[in-house]
Amino acid sequence: MNAAGAEPPRGRGGQLAAQRQATIVAEVNSRGAITVAELVDRFGVSDMTIRRDLDALDSSGLLHKVHGGATSVGLRSAHEPGFDAKLTQESAAKQAIAAEAATRVQPDSAIGIGAGTTTYALARQLLRVENLTVVTNSARIADVFHGNARSDRTVVLIGGIRTPSDALVGPIATAALASLHLDLLFIGAHGVDAEHGLSTPNLMEAETNRSFIAASREIVVVADHTKWGTVGLSTFATWSDLDVIVTDNGLSTAARKAMRDTGCDLVIAS
């Protein structure tokens, strides 16, 4: 039996396909998601070969095929992992992204920081910036700044309903953002996709993120390479809404090209 639970084709080709599919399942279960482009680069086979593998594995229930890749069976479009579960994933990449993104913040700025583990890492990078006003919908991010208080910093925590990823969302948050004007917004995403833009599994979080974007002059996306090709339940930003995306050097060559083709500035953190 192969990794898809079906009898593999006879001969060496069938054995190679079974080994490749078993490796794909192991990788998806370990990382939570993977893209077609990454698998093409890894195995040196065609895009169509990988898509056939994913079709077979999806049919057998061993992974969930999504546009541009696959996720583990627990990561459906409406599944929302908790903050602590995500905090240790791709930690080095998130730190590199945060350090790069922090260079864009100037003293005397009013910035927005959306909830998330990469933006949480970014908050720590901004503790030394002078005369900073921070608006966030994350109690954890607010706590980073409150734990290192300084008289020239103002932190505004927007209230709302708490999500599993520790974002405060909903009509209270949306109403608060409606009257604000931010120089710069840093925002993460559950999924980043060439066709569907930025997405989240949580409908209220999507609405709050749209309000954050509407209140901001420049939008910077901070997202590690594992987000590429993942599509959540609700899109909250298309590429025309965004200015810059900061990601890590794990992003595949094909994904880099696709992202540049969106017209958004792509920055690779080293």
Side-chain angles (χ1 to χ4, degrees):
M1 302 286 284
N2 67 6
E7 191 69 30
R10 297 187 180 277
R12 189 167 184 271
Q15 292 173 349
L16 291 176
Q19 292 167 0
R20 185 175 61 248
Q21 290 176 13
T23 302
I24 291 171
V25 171
E27 190 73 9
V28 169
N29 287 338
S30 173
R31 293 174 44 182
I34 200 164
T35 68
V36 170
E38 288 175 311
L39 293 171
V40 167
D41 286 347
R42 175 164 183 170
F43 293 110
V45 296
S46 70
D47 179 280
M48 288 304 299
T49 296
I50 294 298
R51 293 185 187 279
R52 283 195 295 269
D53 286 339
L54 297 184
D55 283 336
L57 295 169
D58 182 274
S59 296
S60 299
L62 293 174
L63 52 71
H64 176 48
K65 185 180 179 184
V66 297
H67 178 80
T71 64
S72 68
V73 290
L75 293 178
R76 299 286 175 168
S77 293
H79 175 71
E80 187 172 8
F83 184 94
D84 291 327
K86 295 188 293 184
L87 190 59
T88 58
Q89 296 174 357
E90 301 295 333
S91 178
K94 291 173 182 177
Q95 294 299 327
I97 292 166
E100 176 64 38
T103 64
R104 297 178 170 271
V105 180
Q106 300 298 319
D108 303 304
S109 296
I111 69 170
I113 305 180
T117 52
T118 307
T119 49
Y120 178 75
L122 170 64
R124 295 181 176 276
Q125 294 283 339
L126 298 177
L127 292 175
R128 296 183 181 179
V129 180
E130 299 176 344
N131 299 315
L132 191 63
T133 297
V134 178
V135 178
T136 184
N137 65 330
S138 166
R140 299 217 192 197
I141 289 173
D143 284 345
V144 169
F145 292 108
H146 288 313
N148 193 307
R150 50 188 299 164
S151 60
D152 62 344
R153 182 193 300 129
T154 300
V155 179
V156 179
L157 176 61
I158 295 172
I161 299 168
R162 186 177 178 179
T163 72
S165 60
D166 272 2
L168 298 174
V169 302
I172 295 174
T174 300
L177 288 165
S179 62
L180 298 181
H181 305 281
L182 302 173
D183 298 312
L184 188 62
L185 171 65
F186 295 97
I187 196 163
H190 170 80
V192 181
D193 181 78
E195 180 180 353
H196 299 287
L198 307 187
S199 60
T200 172
N202 189 295
L203 293 174
M204 285 196 294
E205 184 168 19
E207 187 62 31
T208 300
N209 286 346
R210 291 184 197 109
S211 296
F212 245 136
I213 289 169
S216 305
R217 187 160 52 197
E218 182 178 1
I219 317 300
V220 179
V221 182
V222 288
D224 71 76
H225 70 280
T226 64
K227 304 296 182 69
W228 180 256
T230 299
V231 179
L233 180 64
S234 179
T235 292
F236 64 85
T238 62
W239 292 104
S240 61
D241 298 318
L242 310 172
D243 298 296
V244 180
I245 182 162
V246 184
T247 188
D248 63 282
N249 57 16
L251 192 69
S252 70
T253 301
R256 294 185 193 202
K257 181 182 183 304
M259 204 173 287
R260 289 191 177 101
D261 288 346
T262 65
C264 190
D265 289 341
L266 176 64
V267 177
I268 304 295
S270 56

